[in-house]
């Protein structure tokens, strides 16, 4: 090892889902929205003045934050926007998780949490899901330096009812509780109303899933004004210009088209429920996913075998080899109705 390597911050990085680039493939492995963004997004792209790119973008992301605030009925000063919810969550980790007491998050969950904690030297404790891969509220009633969990959880898709989310928040008044709602638009009740009731809750959402904007990288947090100010203080100490001018315009157009959002969201939910029914007929078992994916296992067909068989047909799903509790599961994103019918038809033929 070279001498300079002794001072390198060494971490095990997060590994994103595979991004194959093949014609006529069915891509069900990264929880993207199968439908295009709202029509207004296309109009922005067609009319955007490229000369604006020589200027720095608005550091406070005012136009987009105002649009988000109007949509959710909060003040713009309660909104923090970032380059995808990953950027927002990283800022939250840096800002609020600075205690010597470990933060808590599920043992089977979004696998970026422990990456950030390791990189930032934040002590943490993984809290085991129960035998049904669900969060147990009682396990979060312990001393900690903060709490973060997705709702619905990923990769399981299991939803924690709002009353139980509130129970976690009110039992941890001295630390920040972060509810990562990347998938909340596909089922369940958001924790946003709790922001007005408690000062230790922060809700994080993304445009990547329900608003078809994964390629633009837009995420946001909503909390009380004091917490958002703390978050902005860290942002401006790290990178003042986190979101480019074009993305601000695209995001604003996306969130203002409520009708299109509802239409595509309902299509995905309907297709998800149809897919659940068909997978049950084939002998798969899974929880009642309230996300835009289904986390499945089969007692007769190993996940690795199905993963490879689907891949050979250019149908891509996500397989997790670790931890051991989920090494026989596949996570299947919900595509268009046509894509899911093709997916199910292949399984029907394969399992004859």
């Amino acid at each position: 090892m070279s001498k300079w390597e002794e001072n390198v911050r060494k971490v095990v990085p997060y590994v994103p889902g595979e991004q194959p680039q093949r014609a006529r493939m069915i891509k069900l492995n990264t929880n993207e929205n199968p439908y295009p963004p709202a029509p207004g997004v296309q109009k922005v792209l067609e009319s955007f003045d490229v000369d604006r790119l020589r200027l720095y973008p608005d550091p406070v992301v005012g136009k987009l934050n105002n649009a988000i605030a109007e949509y959710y009925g909060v003040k713009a000063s309660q909104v923090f926007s970032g380059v995808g919810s990953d950027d927002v969550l990283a800022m939250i980790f840096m800002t609020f998780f600075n205690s010597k007491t470990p933060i808590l998050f599920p043992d089977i969950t979004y696998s970026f949490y422990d990456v950030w904690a390791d990189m930032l030297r934040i002590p943490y404790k993984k809290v085991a899901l129960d035998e049904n891969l669900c969060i147990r509220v009682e396990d979060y009633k312990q001393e900690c330096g903060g709490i973060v969990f997705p709702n619905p959880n990923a990769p399981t898709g299991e939803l924690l009812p709002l009353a139980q989310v509130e129970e976690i928040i009110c039992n941890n008044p001295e630390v920040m509780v972060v509810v990562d709602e990347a998938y909340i638009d596909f089922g369940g009740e958001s924790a946003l109303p709790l922001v007005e009731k408690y000062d230790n809750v922060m809700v994080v959402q993304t445009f990547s899933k329900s608003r078809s904007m994964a390629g633009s990288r837009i995420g946001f947090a909503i909390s009380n004004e004091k917490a958002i100010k703390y978050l902005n203080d860290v942002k401006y100490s790290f990178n003042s210009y986190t979101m480019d001018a074009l993305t601000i315009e695209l995001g604003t157009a996306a969130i203002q088209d409520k009708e299109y959002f509802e239409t595509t969201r309902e299509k995905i939910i309907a297709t998800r429920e149809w897919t659940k029914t068909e997978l049950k007929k084939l002998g798969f078992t899974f929880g009642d996913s309230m996300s835009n994916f289904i986390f499945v296992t089969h007692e007769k067909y190993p996940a690795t075998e199905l993963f490879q068989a689907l891949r050979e047909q250019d149908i891509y799903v996500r397989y997790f080899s670790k931890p051991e509790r989920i090494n026989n599961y596949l996570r299947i994103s919900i595509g268009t109705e046509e894509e899911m019918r093709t997916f199910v038809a292949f399984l029907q033929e394969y399992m004859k």
Side-chain angles (χ1 to χ4, degrees):
M1 178 184 291
S2 300
K3 188 69 176 176
W4 59 265
E5 290 182 86
E6 295 177 6
N7 297 316
V8 172
R9 187 182 291 264
K10 300 178 182 69
V11 294
V12 178
Y14 170 77
V15 179
E18 183 182 9
Q19 295 289 356
Q21 304 292 326
R22 297 174 65 85
R24 295 183 298 279
M25 67 179 178
I26 297 179
K27 191 169 181 290
L28 309 176
N29 67 326
T30 49
N31 297 344
E32 295 149 326
N33 196 309
Y35 301 105
V41 173
Q42 178 68 35
K43 292 179 181 178
V44 169
L45 288 171
E46 293 170 352
S47 62
F48 186 79
D49 181 4
V50 71
D51 187 56
R52 290 177 59 185
L53 296 182
R54 66 182 177 81
L55 305 173
Y56 283 109
D58 177 12
V60 302
V61 198
K63 186 172 184 178
L64 177 57
N65 284 352
N66 282 326
I68 292 171
E70 182 178 356
Y71 184 90
Y72 289 103
V74 298
K75 299 176 184 177
S77 54
Q78 292 180 261
V79 180
F80 175 91
S81 295
V83 186
S85 59
D86 287 343
D87 179 46
V88 175
L89 286 162
M91 292 292 173
I92 288 171
F93 271 59
M94 284 189 276
T95 305
F96 298 105
F97 296 160
N98 290 293
S99 167
K100 293 181 180 179
T101 307
I103 65 170
L104 306 178
F105 49 81
D107 65 332
I108 299 172
T109 193
Y110 186 32
S111 53
F112 226 140
Y113 295 158
D114 56 356
V115 173
W116 286 315
D118 285 334
M119 183 183 68
L120 297 168
R121 305 298 188 257
I122 299 169
Y124 63 91
K125 178 181 178 181
K126 293 183 178 181
V127 181
L129 300 179
D130 68 16
E131 63 277 6
N132 296 315
L133 300 181
C134 295
I135 290 173
R136 287 182 292 232
V137 172
E138 295 74 18
D139 294 340
Y140 291 84
K141 296 177 181 179
Q142 59 177 292
E143 184 181 8
C144 64
I147 296 172
V148 57
F149 60 92
N151 197 39
N153 194 13
T156 65
E158 297 286 353
L159 178 76
L160 196 64
L162 185 60
Q164 293 184 34
V165 173
E166 183 171 10
E167 190 175 348
I168 291 175
I169 294 165
C170 68
N171 275 278
N172 292 277
E174 297 181 357
V175 300
M176 184 61 72
V177 178
V178 181
V179 188
D180 182 355
E181 294 188 338
Y183 303 100
I184 196 65
D185 291 327
F186 301 108
E189 194 174 355
S190 173
L192 280 171
L194 302 180
V195 166
E196 302 302 324
K197 192 172 181 180
Y198 303 94
D199 68 356
N200 67 318
V201 59
M202 184 163 288
V203 175
V204 178
Q205 293 193 15
T206 178
F207 281 47
S208 296
K209 316 300 181 184
S210 57
R211 298 188 190 277
S212 308
M213 298 284 284
S216 280
R217 314 306 302 125
I218 303 172
F220 63 94
I222 295 178
S223 189
N224 62 79
E225 292 175 283
K226 181 188 289 187
I228 294 300
K229 181 186 182 302
Y230 286 138
L231 202 49
N232 275 313
D233 287 346
V234 171
K235 168 193 169 178
Y236 296 136
S237 302
F238 186 78
N239 181 358
S240 297
Y241 301 102
T242 55
M243 187 175 292
D244 65 80
L246 177 57
T247 298
I248 292 171
E249 297 294 336
L250 296 174
T252 301
I255 201 164
Q256 288 177 338
D257 196 334
K258 185 174 182 178
E259 182 179 354
Y260 183 82
F261 164 75
E262 292 291 348
T263 298
T264 54
R265 184 179 72 92
E266 288 169 6
K267 282 183 181 179
I268 291 168
I269 292 172
T271 304
R272 178 192 69 203
E273 295 306 305
W274 176 86
T275 305
K276 285 180 183 178
T277 299
E278 296 304 311
L279 291 178
K280 284 180 182 177
K281 293 176 185 177
L282 290 169
F284 286 93
T285 57
F286 44 87
D288 189 20
S289 174
M290 289 291 107
S291 58
N292 68 335
F293 58 84
I294 309 171
F295 197 54
V296 308
T297 187
H298 201 290
E299 64 177 2
K300 294 182 180 178
Y301 293 88
T304 51
E305 175 188 322
L306 291 172
F307 174 79
Q308 187 58 38
L310 288 161
R311 186 186 179 90
E312 290 172 2
Q313 299 297 313
D314 280 339
I315 301 174
Y316 293 85
V317 297
R318 188 81 187 266
Y319 170 68
F320 298 87
S321 59
K322 295 180 180 179
E324 290 185 2
R325 291 176 70 193
I326 61 170
N327 64 6
N328 195 37
Y329 281 79
L330 296 175
R331 191 193 68 190
I332 303 159
S333 303
I334 300 302
T336 63
E337 181 180 346
E338 180 183 3
E339 288 174 330
M340 300 315 292
R341 287 186 180 278
T342 301
F343 164 73
V344 168
F346 169 76
L347 290 177
Q348 289 170 338
E349 182 66 25
Y350 185 81
M351 293 178 166
K352 277 184 178 179

